[in-house]
Amino acid sequence: MSTVSYKDAGVDIDAGNQFVENIKPLVKSTFDKNVIGGIGSFAGAYELPTGYQKPVILGATDGVGTKLKLAIDSGIYDTVGIDLVAMCANDLICNFGTPLFFLDYYAMSKLEIDASVNIVKGIAEGCKEAECSLIGGETAEMPGMYHGKDFDLAGFAVGIAEKDEMNRLPHVKAGDVLIALPSSGVHSNGFSLVRKIFFDKLGYTFETEFNGKPLIKTLLTPTRIYVKLFKALKEKINALAHITGGGIVENLPRVLPEGLQARVYTSKIKTLPIFDFMSQYVEESEMHRTFNMGVGMILVVSPENVDAVLNSSDGYVIGELTEGERSAIML
């Protein structure tokens, strides 16, 4: 009887080893002085930074969602890794956590080395932007679970915060001003609806021109990472909300105490062309519950700090907090 190898079953160990060798320079480029050891151990190690009085470790996990389908079908792999880091790191800072390190989980049917290196290249780029170290990950060839070029990504970010700074509710008051930080595009939410509009309903292709460039370039624009801006403005921010799935109406109330209402003026939102276009085919309320509409992060700022925040960022005022039922009202 002839023997059967792991490679015959669809898993190429040699390709996996070559992949690890190819990504080592990318991974090492994200390391800071707190990373202990190198690549290839059973776990990544990171020395906790000093200077914290009551340090708390925070964890955040997320994926890229069906935006991955566009990367797979277009063969453009070097941006979704940035999205992966962004979705986790942007959540951490909402709890006043500073990202420390990142790990990824990458699963596919068959390991394609060039495509996979590009994915990790994006993850490394995202880690540099978020000022965190990529200290580990898992790459899994899973024939039978995934098919063709399909793959999935999940990310895990760990950060650190002062315990006394994490609860932002006592800092949020009536009269506080809402400052929007622009998004870079659709970010990583609502892509099932995006694909339905552009490809199923309208019959567009990836190369269809949109706003002066191929549509796929607009759709795969990576999620903006706000970590550096948070660090620069931290002392002047009362709270901040990451505007992801659910839009402003569902995410902004998460940083409000009972008895405070956010009043957001839609006329002040600098909506991006991609959202203006899709609004022709989707009800306004559905747009605001699904997409960021051009607002990637909302800062809650005391009136006396507004000018300083505006002068140090690309933010702009879109509303304020008043007494009322805990909610976000789009006016």
Side-chain angles (χ1 to χ4, degrees):
M1 180 182 292
S2 61
T3 60
V4 180
S5 69
Y6 207 6
K7 188 173 183 178
D8 293 330
V11 180
D12 190 338
I13 296 175
D14 292 331
N17 291 336
Q18 184 61 55
F19 168 66
V20 171
E21 287 302 312
N22 290 359
I23 66 172
K24 278 184 177 180
L26 298 171
V27 175
K28 286 183 178 178
S29 71
T30 71
F31 284 6
D32 62 24
K33 64 180 182 180
N34 296 313
V35 177
I36 300 173
I39 304 167
S41 185
F42 289 93
Y46 193 93
E47 184 176 2
L48 291 180
T50 59
Y52 287 82
Q53 300 300 312
K54 298 179 181 178
V56 174
I57 297 299
L58 298 86
T61 184
D62 211 333
V64 185
T66 57
K67 190 174 187 176
L68 286 182
K69 182 65 175 171
L70 297 182
I72 293 166
D73 291 345
S74 67
I76 300 173
Y77 298 107
D78 59 350
T79 60
V80 289
I82 301 173
D83 289 295
L84 184 68
V85 177
M87 297 305 290
C88 298
N90 287 342
D91 278 352
L92 280 183
I93 61 176
C94 291
N95 288 98
F96 268 52
T98 299
L100 298 177
F101 60 85
F102 191 84
L103 301 97
D104 69 272
Y105 176 80
Y106 171 37
M108 77 297 291
S109 172
K110 178 177 174 57
L111 179 65
E112 299 289 346
I113 293 179
D114 289 344
S116 299
V117 168
N118 274 328
I119 290 169
V120 175
K121 179 181 177 182
I123 296 173
E125 185 176 339
C127 284
K128 290 177 183 177
E129 183 64 25
E131 298 185 328
C132 64
S133 300
L134 178 59
I135 67 167
E138 169 68 8
T139 302
E141 265 189 304
M142 300 171 65
M145 287 289 291
Y146 296 89
H147 301 279
K149 295 184 177 181
D150 286 349
F151 68 90
D152 201 7
L153 284 175
F156 312 88
V158 172
I160 190 169
E162 283 284 7
K163 184 176 182 180
D164 294 340
E165 293 181 352
M166 290 181 57
N167 182 12
R168 307 311 301 169
L169 296 182
H171 300 272
V172 178
K173 312 287 186 184
D176 282 354
V177 177
L178 303 174
I179 295 178
L181 298 181
S183 67
S184 55
V186 183
H187 283 185
S188 297
N189 298 102
F191 271 89
S192 294
L193 181 53
V194 169
R195 290 164 49 234
K196 184 74 173 178
I197 293 169
F198 283 104
F199 306 117
D200 295 348
K201 182 177 180 64
L202 299 177
Y204 284 10
T205 70
F206 292 156
E207 297 305 315
T208 300
E209 184 176 321
F210 182 84
N211 205 33
K213 59 184 178 182
L215 175 63
I216 191 63
K217 294 291 186 181
T218 296
L219 296 183
L220 286 181
T221 300
T223 305
R224 181 178 175 184
I225 296 174
Y226 299 92
V227 173
K228 292 178 182 177
L229 199 53
F230 162 73
K231 289 181 178 179
L233 299 174
K234 179 180 175 181
E235 301 305 320
K236 300 186 184 303
I237 300 172
N238 295 340
L240 65 165
H242 185 196
I243 309 305
T244 56
I248 294 174
V249 292
E250 293 190 9
N251 285 288
L252 186 52
R254 296 165 68 178
V255 304
L256 303 179
E258 291 296 336
L260 284 189
Q261 184 178 91
R263 298 173 65 85
V264 178
Y265 301 100
T266 55
S267 62
K268 292 186 176 183
I269 295 176
K270 297 178 181 179
T271 310
L272 298 175
I274 188 73
F275 300 118
D276 290 333
F277 182 87
M278 290 192 292
S279 293
Q280 300 175 76
Y281 306 98
V282 182
E283 292 290 339
E284 182 179 8
S285 60
E286 184 78 1
M287 289 292 296
H288 283 289
R289 288 188 65 231
T290 305
F291 300 114
N292 66 63
M293 299 303 288
V295 178
M297 191 79 69
I298 293 180
L299 311 181
V300 180
V301 178
S302 299
E304 63 270 19
N305 290 326
V306 169
D307 287 344
V309 170
L310 295 179
N311 291 335
S312 301
S313 70
D314 57 351
Y316 59 95
V317 175
I318 59 169
E320 71 275 332
L321 299 185
T322 64
E323 294 182 357
E325 181 182 358
R326 178 176 172 268
S327 60
I329 306 298
M330 310 299 293
L331 300 172

